[in-house]
Amino acid sequence: MNKKKVIIPLLSAALLFPTAVNVFAQPHKQIEGVKSVEFVGMPVPATAEEKSTMYSNAKVKVTLKDGTKKTVELDYTSLAEPGDVINGKIVGAAVDINGNLITNKKGEPLVSPSPDANTLLSVNGKSGKLYMINHFESMPNNEIGTVPRALYLNTVQQDKKSGELKITDIEPIDFSEYGGVWTPCAGILSPWNTHLGSEEYEPNARAHEANPEKSSVTQFARNYYQDSTAIGNPYLYGYTTEVSVHPNGEAKAVKHHSMGRLSFENVTVAPDNRTVYYGDDGGYVMSFMYIADKEKDLSAGTLYAAKFEQTSAENGGAGNLKWIRLGHATDQEIKELAENLTFSDIFETTNDASYAKANGFSHIKTSAGEEYLKVKPGMEKAAAFLESRRYGAMLGATSEFNKMETLTFNKADNKVYMTMSTIANGMEENPNDPVDDIRLPKINAGGIYELSLTKRQTDREGNPIKSDYVATKMEAILVGEDIPKDAEGNKAHLDKIANPDNIVYSENMRTLFIAEDSGNHINNVGWAYNVDSKELSRIVSAPDGGEVTGIQAIDDLNGFSYLMVSSQNPGNIGYIQLPLVDKK
């Protein structure tokens, strides 16, 4: 009997944009005076090898300032794979509160197949060390229940002549002050050179309180604390995380409780270093904006939720955004509330619609389902920051978005791009919902929206919003196309996006990079979309069954440009090295 060849997925890989050695055959010299790049897409994966491999056959046309043009191939470079051992530590392994490996009943370490965010950063400028922070979003199903996820700090070496990257050391990042990390998803490099991460799919505090012994939060706590009697606290999870890296390689992690609690996919930060927009992932979710009190400091600020006022149902739809102020808080005060309150401390509940109507309850529908809630006296701040989506819906914010994923800033045009992986469910017309703000035709393949920003805006109550970067309009700019299932099993047009997930914008290249998490394309791919020419180019493909994740566009790192790219299930981390484009 013939043995099948087993392809071991790589954890980490990257696309490398070519340097001058590729273009002009001049070893160890970079491309000089690059004016622009144009991506030339690759075909849909066709062979068995292509369908089972993370690879790129795309090209890029490089135009120099003197008008010279050259077409070169992209190169996808792998960095690591789950389970690799680097300096005695296992890449992607789950660890407990003391940093020890968490094992299954056979004594085997639990290793994530799902790397997500990549944040490559330089400490102390060009002469400093390079580090990369990785998220590991999920752990394999196993007999010990829900397991704490992992963030790892990688020490990275960069070849100063070729730009090639190499991981030389790894270390799990300590979140013991916060009870560990819950489902870290996407992340970004902040404008002040820290890693801003996320905790997706916040646990339902109401469901946990109803049966804490059977709760996944309790399973999580027992594995993390290695204590079979521990009872979990859902209010410890569901926040934006921030990791700063010291030049000596020490990582310091915090959770920003003042930014609210929800299903964070990622955040993006405006040029004022204060205004932040969120991706809230799941069904019946909400759009949020946060304005920090101080620049480059997310430890205190004001939280807003959006009311969507639809103006069009065509091509993914459009609408205006009105902002509802939820409240102001500091990390410390909300952390204290999180450690001491339960759901029933904050809300009254009922299942009787007549009683609810007569006694001032709000009828809402969020990712937690349809509910009748009333905030208990004095608990408004706790509701706003520990149950941000529920409280926002009670105040009239729109909680009908579906699979809202990542966001990224286009500073030059004063735009924010937002992915909606699937335009369906709450975004469809449904007069039976408590509120029906969004009424769009279904597009399973999803789309990407553009948020336009303006100054001198007021909230719903007429109070000034202290930011020059307030989103007032939202419209789809790129949508997928559903098709009948083809012979290969694809259910979305192969030359259009399907279920966009991670996105990142390159200011220098005027390009939006798009990563798919789709069951509608047999092979998920990464795209390059030029916002000026509107050209969409397929530039990388993940193995069948794996999603494309962890994209980070780096316009200039010590004279080199990169696109970090990972894949999940099977896992893989890597990069594409790109030509350095002049900002002019």
Side-chain angles (χ1 to χ4, degrees):
M1 185 171 68
N2 293 331
K3 292 183 179 180
K4 292 183 178 181
K5 182 180 180 181
V6 177
I7 299 175
I8 300 176
L10 297 177
L11 165 67
S12 165
L15 293 177
L16 172 64
F17 273 104
T19 55
V21 64
N22 308 98
V23 181
F24 300 115
Q26 297 174 348
H28 314 314
K29 290 186 179 181
Q30 300 171 40
I31 302 172
E32 298 293 337
V34 174
K35 180 180 179 181
S36 65
V37 297
E38 176 187 348
F39 292 90
V40 181
M42 66 188 203
V44 174
T47 68
E49 182 179 2
E50 288 175 342
K51 292 177 181 179
S52 62
T53 305
M54 189 85 171
Y55 78 101
S56 174
N57 283 340
K59 299 178 181 180
V60 60
K61 292 181 180 178
V62 179
T63 301
L64 302 186
K65 279 190 164 184
D66 65 4
T68 303
K69 295 184 178 182
K70 185 74 174 181
T71 300
V72 293
E73 294 182 356
L74 296 181
D75 180 29
Y76 179 80
T77 304
S78 175
L79 291 173
E81 66 180 60
D84 276 357
V85 177
I86 300 177
N87 278 0
K89 286 151 283 190
I90 302 173
V91 175
V95 296
D96 64 20
I97 188 172
N98 296 311
N100 299 319
L101 291 174
I102 298 174
T103 60
N104 61 21
K105 291 180 180 179
K106 298 178 181 178
E108 300 164 334
L110 298 176
V111 178
S112 172
S114 304
D116 204 314
N118 295 307
T119 297
L120 183 65
L121 58 89
S122 176
V123 177
N124 278 354
K126 292 185 177 181
S127 61
K129 295 181 178 179
L130 297 183
Y131 296 97
M132 182 171 62
I133 295 166
N134 297 127
H135 286 184
F136 293 88
E137 184 177 5
S138 63
M139 288 292 167
N141 293 329
N142 61 83
E143 68 271 27
I144 66 172
T146 303
V147 177
R149 277 43 168 184
L151 269 73
Y152 272 85
L153 178 69
N154 307 268
T155 303
V156 177
Q157 286 184 351
Q158 180 189 45
D159 188 299
K160 301 302 181 184
K161 295 180 179 180
S162 69
E164 183 178 354
L165 303 175
K166 179 182 179 181
I167 297 173
T168 60
D169 194 16
I170 64 170
E171 191 71 36
I173 295 173
D174 181 15
F175 274 88
S176 58
E177 182 180 348
Y178 299 93
V181 175
W182 183 275
T183 316
C185 197
I188 66 163
L189 178 66
S190 76
W192 48 93
N193 206 43
T194 61
H195 167 78
L196 291 177
S198 57
E199 289 185 302
E200 189 181 34
Y201 300 133
E202 85 284 10
N204 187 334
R206 183 177 185 178
H208 169 83
E209 188 175 8
N211 194 348
E213 189 66 32
K214 296 295 184 180
S215 167
S216 60
V217 184
T218 292
Q219 293 176 0
F220 181 103
R222 291 177 179 178
N223 284 313
Y224 186 64
Y225 295 109
Q226 293 294 289
D227 179 355
S228 61
T229 66
I231 298 294
N233 177 357
Y235 286 138
L236 297 183
Y237 313 107
Y239 302 100
T240 286
T241 61
E242 184 169 16
V243 179
S244 55
V245 184
H246 191 275
N248 66 7
E250 293 182 2
K252 173 63 176 176
V254 300
K255 292 187 183 182
H256 287 304
H257 295 76
S258 66
M259 296 179 71
R261 179 175 171 271
L262 48 128
S263 178
F264 281 97
E265 177 81 15
N266 88 328
V267 301
T268 191
V269 184
D272 64 356
N273 294 327
R274 293 176 55 244
T275 306
V276 186
Y277 290 92
Y278 306 175
D280 183 19
D281 194 4
Y284 285 88
V285 293
M286 190 170 286
S287 179
F288 293 93
M289 174 179 67
Y290 177 82
I291 301 175
D293 292 350
K294 300 177 181 178
E295 291 186 28
K296 304 180 182 180
D297 181 355
L298 303 180
S299 64
T302 303
L303 181 63
Y304 296 85
K307 178 76 168 179
F308 182 83
E309 299 176 346
Q310 185 168 312
T311 58
S312 172
E314 301 296 320
N315 300 316
N320 298 321
L321 297 175
K322 303 295 183 184
W323 293 97
I324 299 170
R325 186 182 187 274
L326 303 190
H328 176 277
T330 67
D331 283 352
Q332 186 58 39
E333 63 182 323
I334 303 305
K335 185 173 185 289
E336 291 175 2
L337 293 176
E339 292 170 345
N340 292 285
L341 294 179
T342 65
F343 180 86
S344 60
D345 290 330
I346 302 171
F347 295 107
E348 293 181 50
T349 65
T350 182
N351 294 322
D352 187 324
S354 298
Y355 177 83
K357 185 175 181 179
N359 289 277
F361 283 73
S362 297
H363 182 200
I364 64 170
K365 187 173 183 179
T366 67
S367 60
E370 202 163 337
E371 298 175 299
Y372 297 96
L373 299 178
K374 181 192 287 188
V375 179
K376 291 185 174 180
M379 287 292 165
E380 291 79 9
K381 180 167 286 191
F385 292 91
L386 297 181
E387 294 285 357
S388 303
R389 195 184 307 105
R390 281 174 163 131
Y391 187 63
M394 293 173 73
L395 295 186
T398 299
S399 188
E400 299 168 40
F401 295 103
N402 189 71
K403 293 298 295 175
M404 181 191 295
E405 306 280 351
T406 54
L407 301 93
T408 187
F409 239 96
N410 173 344
K411 296 178 182 178
D413 297 336
N414 208 28
K415 306 286 187 182
V416 170
Y417 303 114
M418 170 193 287
T419 55
M420 217 69 66
S421 187
T422 305
I423 301 170
N425 301 321
M427 297 183 74
E428 297 177 77
E429 185 171 4
N430 188 348
N432 294 321
D433 280 349
V435 180
D436 197 22
D437 291 337
I438 309 177
R439 304 169 304 282
L440 299 176
K442 185 175 185 177
I443 306 177
N444 271 323
I448 295 176
Y449 291 78
E450 180 182 86
L451 280 62
S452 300
L453 312 177
T454 56
K455 302 178 181 180
R456 295 182 292 276
Q457 295 300 300
T458 58
D459 65 19
R460 183 183 61 180
E461 307 304 320
N463 300 308
I465 299 176
K466 297 179 181 180
S467 170
D468 289 339
Y469 298 92
V470 178
T472 56
K473 294 183 179 180
M474 175 178 174
E475 64 178 330
I477 59 169
L478 191 64
V479 295
E481 180 182 337
D482 300 332
I483 63 171
K485 185 187 292 187
D486 67 15
E488 295 287 327
N490 296 291
K491 294 177 286 186
H493 196 297
L494 289 171
D495 292 326
K496 298 184 180 182
I497 61 171
N499 309 110
D501 191 345
N502 291 180
I503 57 173
V504 66
Y505 182 70
S506 167
E507 296 283 345
N508 286 6
M509 296 182 186
R510 300 281 295 167
T511 296
L512 183 67
F513 294 103
I514 303 163
E516 293 182 342
D517 175 10
S518 172
N520 293 313
H521 281 169
I522 295 302
N523 284 91
N524 285 306
V525 301
W527 303 89
Y529 176 71
N530 186 288
V531 299
D532 298 317
S533 69
K534 314 302 182 186
E535 184 73 21
L536 181 68
S537 305
R538 185 186 298 105
I539 63 170
V540 64
S541 177
D544 181 5
E547 65 177 277
V548 181
T549 63
I551 56 175
Q552 178 195 10
I554 304 167
D555 283 336
D556 185 356
L557 180 63
N558 301 328
F560 295 92
S561 296
Y562 302 89
L563 178 68
M564 308 306 298
V565 185
S566 295
S567 69
Q568 287 190 6
N569 308 312
N572 192 324
I573 300 171
Y575 68 94
I576 297 172
Q577 192 170 331
L578 308 171
L580 189 65
V581 179
D582 292 348
K583 291 183 179 181
K584 295 179 181 180

